[in-house]
């Protein structure tokens, strides 16, 4: 006789589900109110940082000032260091390495957290200033992957360094302080935009139309040639001592002039320019500043040029991190290649947060969510995982256990649907040094737009994750 079909009772189903299935719920429900308060408090510091340091140069200046306050001194190659020593190495004012020497030095490898401090923006061309039809404007060349139409009709501020003819440097910021003038790119009124509105978003605003309005009043004179441009140049000369030719030796960047603000009735999010990737740079910086005597030497890297492929001597496709680790190794009588081969790295960069308004480009089971905690990506890349270093199962397991053990709220996901697009980080350049690397970071809404959005809880959990990685005794 056939046995009657047995049913699992509902309590057992509940237990089985708890034991066997992944549970997904809003991360705010998985942490205490006290934790949320701590996250909010941590993010006040982050907002202040966002408002002070909008460009790679400003981040380096900010980080060096904080580091010196925390007892860090310039690194000197060839000098021996002792556990607990705190050093930094400034790469041309645009990238920075900070390290705290571990109890074991670097013989067991170093622990690296790498984030980037450049963000998409409008740079000036070498001959930027021109006058047309009674107005003076700047020609720009955009930097990084932007949707060009998003950069019109928003307030912009000017940041950067001009090296004058005599070689002296002028650092300037204009449009950030209350009462300072700001700048903008114009767009066509809808009344006259019939033709523009028929174009694709990609073509609606072209690169050569990202011209920044700089003035409209001429110098009062009899001649009528270039007098508005002359007036703009006269003001720049009075303020900064520069002539028009000095633009050729300048790094001038225009960025959104907004300040970081809380978003939502519940103030759970921060809206700001340049979360990508200062939202990981700040946790990586604060984690190294707070590191005391780690087991292995910990190294925070704040890199430039990620947004254009990490190319250039301040980007991570340069050897500056390799050289730094080589100097650490040499000071302890070790070979750089042995230290690097035992090293581990959190490549800390933002990932796409699932956007309910554009849900069709995301795969819901494999996306990172706002308030889900620090986002882990086993791999990035595009299409068939093109261009990704991909973390091994073993290294993902190590990081997963580390986060669990330290109460770090985390989630894992991909950028979006397999064929929807893709992106990369600095992970592959560090992996090429034979280091174990995994991508982690804060999920961002409206990434690369002038006003990006992140969750405060996710920012704090990224800090906790890096801190746990630095403090591990394994
Ligand atoms: Mn990034
Ligand atoms: Mn980016």
């Amino acid at each position: 006789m056939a046995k009657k079909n047995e049913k699992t009772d509902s309590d057992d189903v509940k237990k089985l589900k708890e034991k066997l299935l992944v549970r997904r719920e809003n991360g705010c429900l998985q942490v205490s109110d006290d934790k949320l308060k701590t996250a909010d408090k941590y993010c006040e510091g982050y907002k202040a940082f966002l408002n002070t340091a909008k460009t790679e140069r400003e981040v380096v200046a900010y980080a060096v000032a904080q580091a010196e306050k925390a007892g860090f001194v310039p690194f000197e190659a060839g000098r021996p260091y002792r556990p607990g020593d705190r050093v930094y190495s400034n790469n041309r004012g645009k990238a920075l390495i900070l390290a705290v020497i571990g109890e074991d030095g670097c013989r067991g490898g170093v622990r690296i957290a790498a984030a980037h401090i450049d963000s998409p923006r409008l740079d000036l061309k070498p001959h930027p200033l021109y006058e047309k039809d009674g107005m003076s404007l700047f020609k720009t060349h955009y930097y990084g992957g932007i949707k060009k139409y998003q950069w019109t009709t928003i307030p912009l501020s000017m940041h950067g360094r001009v090296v004058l003819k005599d070689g002296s440097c002028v650092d300037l910021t204009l449009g950030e302080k209350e009462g300072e003038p700001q700048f903008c790119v114009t767009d066509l009124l809808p009344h006259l935009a019939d033709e523009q509105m028929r174009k694709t978003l990609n073509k609606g605003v072209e690169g050569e139309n990202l011209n920044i309005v700089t003035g409209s009043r001429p110098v009062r004179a009899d001649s009528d040639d270039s007098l508005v441009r002359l007036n703009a140049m006269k003001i720049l000369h009075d303020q900064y001592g520069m002539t028009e030719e000095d633009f050729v030796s300048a790094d001038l960047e225009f960025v959104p002039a907004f300040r970081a603000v809380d978003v939502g009735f519940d103030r759970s999010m921060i809206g700001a320019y340049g979360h990508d990737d200062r939202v990981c740079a700040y946790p990586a910086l604060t984690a190294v500043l707070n590191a005391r005597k780690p087991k292995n030497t910990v190294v925070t890297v704040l890199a430039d040029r990620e947004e254009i492929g990490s190319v250039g001597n301040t980007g991570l496709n340069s050897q500056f991190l390799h050289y730094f680790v080589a100097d650490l190794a040499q000071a302890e009588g070790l070979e750089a290649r042995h230290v690097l081969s035992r090293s581990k790295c959190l490549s800390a960069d933002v990932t796409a947060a699932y956007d309910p308004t554009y849900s069709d480009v995301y795969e819901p089971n494999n996306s990172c969510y706002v308030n889900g905690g620090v986002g882990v990506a086993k791999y990035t890349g595009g299409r068939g995982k093109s261009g990704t270093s991909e973390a091994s199962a073993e290294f993902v397991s190590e990081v997963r256990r580390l986060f669990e053990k330290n109460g770090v709220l985390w989630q894992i996901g991909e950028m979006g649907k397999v064929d929807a697009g893709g992106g990369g980080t600095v992970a592959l350049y560090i992996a090429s040094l034979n280091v174990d690397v995994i991508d982690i970071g804060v999920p961002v809404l409206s990434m690369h737009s002038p006003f990006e959005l992140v969750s405060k809880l996710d920012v704090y959990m990224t800090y906790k994750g890096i801190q746990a990685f630095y403090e591990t005794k394994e």
Side-chain angles (χ1 to χ4, degrees):
M1 207 170 86
K3 211 177 156 194
K4 204 175 132 200
N5 286 337
E6 271 180 41
K7 282 190 182 162
T8 313
D9 79 56
S10 59
D11 268 4
D12 288 345
V13 169
K14 208 175 146 206
K15 276 184 205 148
L16 263 182
K17 275 188 172 171
E18 261 168 34
K19 188 176 165 189
L20 299 180
L21 299 186
V22 170
R23 198 167 55 119
R24 279 173 178 266
E25 63 175 0
N26 191 311
C28 296
L29 301 176
Q30 296 176 51
V31 300
S32 64
D33 282 345
D34 275 355
K35 265 270 154 57
L36 286 175
K37 267 194 205 126
T38 312
D40 292 351
K41 196 168 162 232
Y42 178 79
C43 284
E44 288 305 305
Y46 174 50
K47 285 191 293 183
F49 163 74
L50 285 171
N51 291 335
T52 330
K54 287 194 169 182
T55 65
E56 60 284 352
R57 284 185 192 272
E58 290 170 357
V59 173
V60 169
Y62 174 96
V64 166
Q66 296 293 315
E68 285 181 346
K69 262 191 241 163
F72 284 70
V73 296
F75 178 71
E76 289 169 49
R79 247 204 66 177
Y81 285 98
R82 283 194 308 276
D85 281 351
R86 304 153 83 72
V87 294
Y88 70 86
S89 172
N90 183 341
N91 182 1
R92 297 170 170 86
K94 294 180 171 202
L96 186 69
I97 298 177
L98 305 111
V100 177
I101 309 301
E103 301 275 12
D104 291 356
C106 59
R107 68 172 182 269
V110 296
R111 297 290 172 274
I112 304 165
H116 69 90
I117 52 176
D118 59 318
S119 296
R121 59 180 191 249
L122 303 179
D123 286 344
L124 290 191
K125 293 191 185 190
H127 288 301
L129 188 61
Y130 70 106
E131 174 173 340
K132 191 163 184 252
D133 310 325
M135 297 184 73
S136 69
L137 300 108
F138 276 148
K139 292 300 295 179
T140 69
H141 198 133
Y142 61 94
Y143 172 96
I146 62 168
K147 290 163 105 175
K148 281 167 273 191
Y149 68 89
Q150 293 180 333
W151 291 72
T152 66
T153 65
I154 57 165
L156 299 171
S157 57
M158 177 170 73
H159 298 244
R161 168 171 284 191
V162 184
V163 184
L164 305 181
K165 198 165 192 173
D166 65 2
S168 58
C169 293
V170 181
D171 288 320
L172 53 91
T173 309
L174 189 61
E176 290 291 338
K177 290 202 192 94
E178 191 64 39
E180 283 183 348
Q182 298 180 339
F183 306 87
C184 68
V185 174
T186 58
D187 194 6
L188 210 45
L189 60 168
H191 317 65
L192 295 178
D194 262 9
E195 199 187 314
Q196 184 196 34
M197 297 291 267
R198 272 194 291 275
K199 293 179 182 171
T200 58
L201 281 178
N202 190 28
K203 289 275 185 277
V205 174
E206 307 224 17
E208 289 298 346
N209 284 354
L210 293 176
N211 302 320
I212 293 172
V213 172
T214 62
S216 64
R217 285 190 188 171
V219 170
R220 208 180 285 279
D222 291 334
S223 110
D224 60 358
D225 185 37
S226 296
L227 293 178
V228 182
R229 171 168 150 238
L230 183 64
N231 196 30
M233 211 50 245
K234 191 171 165 290
I235 293 165
L236 284 168
H237 185 261
D238 289 348
Q239 256 173 16
Y240 309 113
M242 63 183 291
T243 67
E244 195 176 20
E245 198 180 89
D246 294 330
F247 281 117
V248 304
S249 49
D251 290 332
L252 287 175
E253 306 173 5
F254 282 75
V255 301
F258 330 128
R259 298 176 74 73
V261 293
D262 288 347
V263 171
F265 292 119
D266 56 9
R267 296 176 172 266
S268 59
M269 294 165 282
I270 304 168
Y273 160 70
H275 281 310
D276 178 6
D277 182 33
R278 288 180 295 160
V279 75
C280 297
Y282 185 73
L285 173 64
T286 48
V288 77
L289 295 183
N290 292 337
R292 290 296 151 195
K293 263 194 192 172
K295 180 168 186 286
N296 299 292
T297 296
V298 298
V299 179
T300 283
V301 186
L302 304 178
D304 183 24
R305 305 197 69 75
E306 192 279 339
E307 292 297 355
I308 50 90
S310 295
V311 184
N313 54 14
T314 51
L316 272 171
N317 194 13
S318 131
Q319 297 297 306
F320 75 92
L321 173 61
H322 184 173
Y323 293 163
F324 180 79
V325 175
D327 286 336
L328 286 179
Q330 198 177 34
E332 294 177 30
L334 303 165
E335 292 285 346
R337 64 178 191 279
H338 297 145
V339 171
L340 284 164
S341 302
R342 290 177 207 128
S343 294
K344 290 166 186 181
C345 174
L346 300 180
S347 162
D349 202 347
V350 299
T351 185
Y354 179 91
D355 187 337
T357 303
Y358 295 98
S359 54
D360 52 331
V361 299
Y362 297 88
E363 196 264 278
N365 287 338
N366 290 284
S367 290
C368 286
Y369 291 81
V370 164
N371 288 333
V374 56
V376 176
K378 188 171 184 296
Y379 47 84
T380 59
R383 302 169 305 281
K385 298 195 178 180
S386 168
T388 181
S389 52
E390 185 153 4
S392 67
E394 292 87 341
F395 192 46
V396 178
S397 157
E398 189 178 325
V399 170
R400 172 188 167 195
R401 283 180 285 123
L402 178 78
F403 285 177
E404 290 294 340
K405 199 172 132 194
N406 291 278
V408 178
L409 186 68
W410 64 280
Q411 54 185 328
I412 191 160
E414 298 189 344
M415 268 289 244
K417 279 184 177 166
V418 172
D419 287 332
T425 65
V426 301
L428 73 158
Y429 303 109
I430 297 173
S432 77
L433 300 172
N434 198 30
V435 172
D436 269 318
V437 187
I438 189 165
D439 279 296
I440 63 128
V442 178
V444 175
L445 287 167
S446 310
M447 195 196 292
H448 284 204
S449 79
F451 192 72
E452 301 175 320
L453 209 52
V454 298
S455 132
K456 290 180 180 175
L457 180 61
D458 299 342
V459 179
Y460 179 64
M461 286 300 166
T462 300
Y463 166 68
K464 292 289 287 175
I466 297 171
Q467 193 189 35
F469 179 68
Y470 279 178
E471 280 177 3
T472 178
K473 299 290 175 201
E474 279 151 40

